[in-house]
Amino acid sequence: SRPIRVVRSSTTDAAVTTTASRREIRSPVDSSSVYGHIVASTLSNLHENFAWFQIIGNGLAGAWALAAHKVTALRGRPLWWYTVAAQLTVFVQVTLGVAMVNAEGRTFPQFHAFYGFVAIIAVAILYSYRAQLRHKHYMLYGLGVLFEMGLGIRAMLVGQA
């Protein structure tokens, strides 16, 4: 195996492989190599399958919060922990998508990335309105998290086209 060292410059990061006779520079994840293909394929599969986890998780959190708006027995700390976990899946999904695009050198499908970043903004907006809508925060989070689920579904549909 060849020794690999990472060279940092102001414009790009590249892995430099040194042999006795030559030096070759390649991208951080060379998709033409077996390793690069495995990384790119794994990121692509993770991004595709994690989308379902994000959509279903946010849907369940939204349904729970809306039910808790009417049924006080459903309220409590477990609801908020689950809602936070569901909202964190949005950040994980966007991070996986960005990593996949960088590893494979792909371009985003039209509006696919837009829906992902709007979902992140929606998380921030929900958090910012929690004080003003304290008396209806179960409804706020229920509808808001269902909106995030809808953005995930829309991003998935746009990404397939």
Side-chain angles (χ1 to χ4, degrees):
S1 121
R2 299 179 198 165
I4 296 176
R5 57 190 171 101
V6 176
V7 176
R8 305 235 185 253
S9 70
S10 61
T11 57
T12 183
D13 292 342
V16 177
T17 306
T18 306
T19 63
S21 62
R22 65 170 201 241
R23 295 175 74 193
E24 54 184 65
I25 298 176
R26 53 191 170 90
S27 67
V29 178
D30 184 10
S31 60
S32 64
S33 71
V34 174
Y35 169 75
H37 180 70
I38 291 171
V39 169
S41 176
T42 301
L43 284 172
S44 181
N45 286 336
L46 271 173
H47 181 67
E48 194 173 306
N49 294 322
F50 196 78
W52 286 108
F53 186 73
Q54 185 256 331
I55 289 167
I56 293 169
N58 279 290
L60 291 173
W64 187 359
L66 284 177
H69 180 70
K70 291 288 183 190
V71 181
T72 57
L74 296 174
R75 298 176 183 178
R77 210 170 267 223
L79 167 65
W80 298 117
W81 282 110
Y82 185 80
T83 302
V84 167
Q87 288 185 329
L88 287 175
T89 63
V90 172
F91 292 93
V92 172
Q93 181 65 3
V94 170
T95 302
L96 286 171
V98 169
M100 179 190 69
V101 166
N102 286 335
E104 295 181 16
R106 285 183 170 186
T107 57
F108 292 115
Q110 189 177 15
F111 286 107
H112 182 77
F114 171 75
Y115 289 120
F117 290 112
V118 167
I120 287 176
I121 293 168
V123 171
I125 290 171
L126 285 175
Y127 185 76
S128 68
Y129 273 101
R130 75 188 190 294
Q132 288 96 327
L133 297 172
R134 193 75 176 146
H135 61 289
K136 294 190 179 190
H137 64 280
Y138 292 103
M139 187 180 294
L140 169 71
Y141 273 92
L143 294 174
V145 174
L146 286 176
F147 177 71
E148 291 170 22
M149 178 195 73
L151 288 171
I153 291 170
R154 187 68 185 135
M156 183 185 275
L157 293 175
V158 169
Q160 292 175 354

